Amino acid sequence: MTSIAAGAIELWLLDRDAAAATLGEIEGAKPRLAHDEIGRAGAMTDPQQAIAWRAGRTALRLLLERRCDLDLMRQPFGADPSGRPRIPMPSPIDFSLSDSGAFL
């Protein structure tokens, strides 16, 4: 793991549409999503929206695992009062996931 300097800001961009199939394979081979995330995606009426949502959450979990040396397998995220996801354990990082069409 590369250490993250205090106060550092990192910005990552993912072409979710281009990566969705690969992220689906990664999630299928070694599930990371928590049961609440699987349920939320399963409740979506548009299958493409569900695939995109799952891909975004899988990518977020992969990034946090690799960048911060965390084990988040199947652990549900918490949420702050505004609804932003939070890691369910003490962590020195804050993160946000934004959606802009095909990009995260």
Side-chain angles (χ1 to χ4, degrees):
M1 174 186 103
T2 305
S3 65
I4 301 171
I9 296 174
E10 293 186 6
L11 178 65
W12 294 77
L13 178 67
L14 171 72
D15 183 339
R16 182 179 49 205
D17 289 350
T22 300
L23 288 164
E25 290 173 13
I26 290 169
E27 176 63 17
K30 192 171 183 182
R32 289 172 169 76
L33 297 180
H35 293 291
D36 64 318
E37 292 169 311
I38 294 166
R40 182 171 172 182
M44 293 178 179
T45 56
D46 178 355
Q48 289 305 110
Q49 180 185 17
I51 290 168
W53 193 87
R54 286 175 62 112
R57 282 300 178 114
T58 299
L60 174 62
R61 285 176 174 273
L62 285 168
L63 177 63
L64 290 171
E65 286 174 7
R66 291 181 179 160
R67 191 67 181 108
C68 303
D69 196 27
L70 296 172
D71 179 9
L72 297 174
M73 297 290 213
R74 307 292 234 170
Q75 291 186 33
F77 287 130
D80 71 8
S82 67
R84 283 181 47 190
R86 290 276 182 233
I87 297 172
M89 62 192 85
S91 172
I93 69 158
D94 290 314
F95 62 94
S96 180
L97 179 65
S98 296
D99 187 317
S100 179
F103 294 95
L104 296 177

